[in-house]
Amino acid sequence: MNYGQFLNMIPEATLVAALIIVFIADFALVKSAKKHSSLAMLTDLLLIAQTAVCALACEPAEAFAGMYVTTEATAAMKVILTAGTLIVCIMAQTWLEKHRYEGEFYMLVLSTLLGMYCMMSAGHFLLFFLGLEMASVPVACLVAMDKWKQLSAEAGAKYILTATFSSGVMLFGISLIYAGTGTLYFNDAARALQMISMHTYYAPVLMIAGLVFFFSGLGFKLSLVPFHFWTADTYQGAPTAVTGYLSVISKGAAAFTLCAILMKVFGSMTDYWEYLLYVTIVLSITIANLFAIRQSELKRFMAFSSISQAGYIMLAVVGNSAMGVTALMYYTLVYVVANLAVFTVISVVENNNGGTTQMDSYNGFYQTNPRLAFLMTLALFSLAGIPPFAGMFSKFFVFMAAAQEGSAAAYIVVFIALINTVVSLYYYLLIVKAMYIKKTETPLPAFKSDCNTRFALAICTAGIVLFGVCSCVYGWLSAAAGL
């Protein structure tokens, strides 16, 4: 075997090196009084360097006979996810300082990120599945990391059980694809499916079943309806930083991978998976919005918000084009900064209010903490798609990508999504109403945020305001997608 092929996997190699460095530093600093701050700074610097590596190593490359394939779009997505992971690590530092889990937390986060890298760069179903499991199993440990809380242990158990079941369903789907095509390579499977479609007017039942089972497995990672039942309980029980990581980084990697595989492998079966997407998108956006209105616990509320946002992200896949890939990456980028801004504020309030995340505790929040309330409002407005914030542009681009498909069904789905945007605006405004309008005799006390929180919020707020007006961001993603 030619080991020089590993040089084509530079982002993965450098991330493995970063993981080893953090592992060694965790042992080396075990007796140091400044272990927390030193390890946090080291991890942040490594993630900054990793983001730069992903941005520079953007040339298309292959390794191991096409099992590993990277493109400019894949490199751009790795930049987005690595930058998002950096924000998560920054916002988690206050919580980690109290619980002393910093070494384990950073190593598990970097391990899941490595799995996402492999998953997105896979050109073979085996590497894809290994990457998926590498990204999923450590997350169960992260979810259950707050071991003194019953909800955290319960959330970890629910996550690992549903993840195991979804992996089994996906493996069954992959086995059906292998049975029908005789290969696990994406390109070879696509050619086999194209040959089948040339000789028949319909796809074989075996391949349709494989597509459905495969889609179901990744639907769990995306928490699309009806694969969403684990989401609310897991988000509520997990530490807030982990919930933020699950809601954006994990979801973004799964969305990009699903988009790539549907276009690469199942391009000749577009008529089948597009209608599968139509159903799941409409169900995800509508049901999640209706359930979000009923929530009184903020992390459960954001869980249903993330299910709805997953539906909007998958709208970009409907177009089956480079514009759709660009819209998906742009939506993920905007979603990362907006959603992490919300979770950063939730984390601050949770750390200073005895761990409560009830929505009623935010009544009168603007009176005592006007800056945090204002930043929370900007993030919520972006999630709702209100102009001139970046969220409005991200929704516009996914609508445009879906409408480009040109069919009556696509127009109907876009119209339903537009109506649901109004519903989502209503429930996001419920939080704004609590912060600015509702009065209480016992509002949250005024508290000063630490430097890490202020830095994370500054990055997120800059992204919310600037990503919508800086055309260079969309131009960079368009060029990466080959548009």
Side-chain angles (χ1 to χ4, degrees):
M1 184 175 68
N2 181 12
Y3 291 99
Q5 294 180 88
F6 284 107
L7 295 176
N8 293 331
M9 304 173 65
I10 293 176
E12 287 75 15
T14 53
L15 188 57
V16 169
L19 180 59
I20 294 172
I21 291 171
V22 172
F23 181 76
I24 294 173
D26 186 37
F27 277 99
L29 298 171
V30 67
K31 295 182 179 180
S32 173
K34 296 183 178 181
K35 176 184 176 180
H36 171 75
S37 58
S38 301
L39 198 58
M41 183 176 295
L42 174 64
T43 306
D44 292 346
L45 290 174
L46 288 172
L47 283 171
I48 292 171
Q50 182 65 29
T51 305
V53 167
C54 292
L56 294 174
C58 60
E59 293 296 324
E62 286 190 11
F64 306 107
M67 287 191 71
Y68 174 90
V69 180
T70 187
T71 62
E72 292 183 3
T74 308
M77 198 66 189
K78 288 177 182 178
V79 170
I80 295 170
L81 297 184
T82 309
T85 304
L86 172 62
I87 298 173
V88 170
C89 289
I90 294 172
M91 67 174 278
Q93 287 176 18
T94 303
W95 176 78
L96 290 172
E97 191 172 4
K98 291 182 179 180
H99 293 82
R100 299 295 178 183
Y101 300 146
E102 55 269 3
E104 296 88 342
F105 180 85
Y106 294 137
M107 284 185 281
L108 288 170
V109 166
L110 292 177
S111 298
T112 60
L113 188 61
L114 178 61
M116 292 173 199
Y117 277 16
C118 295
M119 187 170 68
M120 292 188 295
S121 293
H124 189 280
F125 278 109
L126 177 59
L127 181 60
F128 157 76
F129 185 75
L130 291 175
L132 179 69
E133 291 304 293
M134 198 188 308
S136 299
V137 175
V139 169
C141 301
L142 287 170
V143 170
M145 184 164 279
D146 206 347
K147 58 185 178 182
W148 304 115
K149 290 185 178 179
Q150 180 182 351
L151 283 177
S152 183
E154 181 183 341
K158 288 181 178 178
Y159 180 86
I160 195 64
L161 287 173
T162 50
T164 303
F165 179 73
S166 68
S167 296
V169 170
M170 179 181 290
L171 270 180
F172 183 62
I174 292 174
S175 68
L176 293 179
I177 295 168
Y178 178 72
T181 62
T183 181
L184 290 176
Y185 283 95
F186 290 171
N187 291 335
D188 293 343
R191 282 193 289 269
L193 284 173
Q194 192 171 14
M195 291 295 295
I196 293 172
S197 64
M198 287 173 61
H199 292 89
T200 59
Y201 293 103
Y202 57 90
V205 175
L206 190 68
M207 299 311 303
I208 296 174
L211 170 62
V212 171
F213 283 116
F214 173 79
F215 183 87
S216 301
L218 266 183
F220 161 81
K221 288 290 292 181
L222 279 163
S223 59
L224 294 169
V225 175
F227 317 107
H228 69 290
F229 294 102
W230 62 276
T231 312
D233 291 336
T234 300
Y235 279 34
Q236 182 183 6
T240 302
V242 176
T243 304
Y245 186 80
L246 268 174
S247 68
V248 289
I249 311 302
S250 179
K251 198 178 295 294
F256 182 84
T257 305
L258 179 58
C259 175
I261 293 177
L262 287 178
M263 292 181 180
K264 286 180 183 177
V265 181
F266 299 103
S268 58
M269 297 176 62
T270 304
D271 292 340
Y272 294 93
W273 59 257
E274 275 192 350
Y275 282 100
L276 187 62
L277 273 179
Y278 292 152
V279 174
T280 54
I281 287 170
V282 171
L283 289 177
S284 298
I285 296 175
T286 306
I287 292 176
N289 283 347
L290 294 177
F291 274 85
I293 296 173
R294 302 176 53 192
Q295 302 306 311
S296 58
E297 205 276 340
L298 200 50
K299 286 165 76 173
R300 292 184 72 88
F301 172 90
M302 292 304 297
F304 286 105
S305 167
S306 74
I307 296 170
S308 175
Q309 297 290 346
Y312 285 111
I313 290 174
M314 295 314 296
L315 267 175
V317 185
V318 170
N320 193 19
S321 63
M323 181 183 290
V325 177
T326 305
L328 187 149
M329 291 192 294
Y330 183 74
Y331 198 104
T332 303
L333 175 63
V334 173
Y335 183 51
V336 164
V337 292
N339 219 45
L340 288 182
V342 173
F343 277 108
T344 302
V345 176
I346 294 174
S347 179
V348 173
V349 174
E350 188 179 17
N351 290 332
N352 289 276
N353 194 37
T356 181
T357 54
Q358 292 297 316
M359 202 177 297
D360 289 342
S361 62
Y362 286 78
N363 291 347
F365 189 54
Y366 178 76
Q367 297 175 353
T368 53
N369 297 274
R371 293 180 181 176
L372 286 176
F374 177 70
L375 296 179
M376 180 85 150
T377 303
L378 294 184
L380 292 171
F381 281 177
S382 183
L383 289 174
I386 296 177
F389 304 110
M392 187 273 289
F393 297 96
S394 63
K395 279 190 168 58
F396 172 76
F397 288 130
V398 295
F399 290 156
M400 188 168 62
Q404 188 189 32
E405 203 273 334
S407 66
Y411 290 136
I412 292 172
V413 172
V414 171
F415 178 71
I416 294 173
L418 281 169
I419 294 174
N420 274 281
T421 302
V422 179
V423 180
S424 67
L425 174 60
Y426 168 74
Y427 64 72
Y428 286 128
L429 286 176
L430 291 176
I431 304 176
V432 178
K433 178 184 177 182
M435 293 190 297
Y436 287 87
I437 298 176
K438 284 190 176 181
K439 305 296 182 182
T440 179
E441 295 180 358
T442 56
L444 288 171
F447 42 78
K448 187 177 181 181
S449 304
D450 57 90
C451 294
N452 295 321
T453 299
R454 289 199 296 269
F455 185 44
L457 284 173
I459 296 173
C460 293
T461 305
I464 292 168
V465 175
L466 297 178
F467 287 161
V469 296
C470 292
S471 59
C472 59
V473 176
Y474 187 79
W476 163 56
L477 296 176
S478 298
L483 188 61

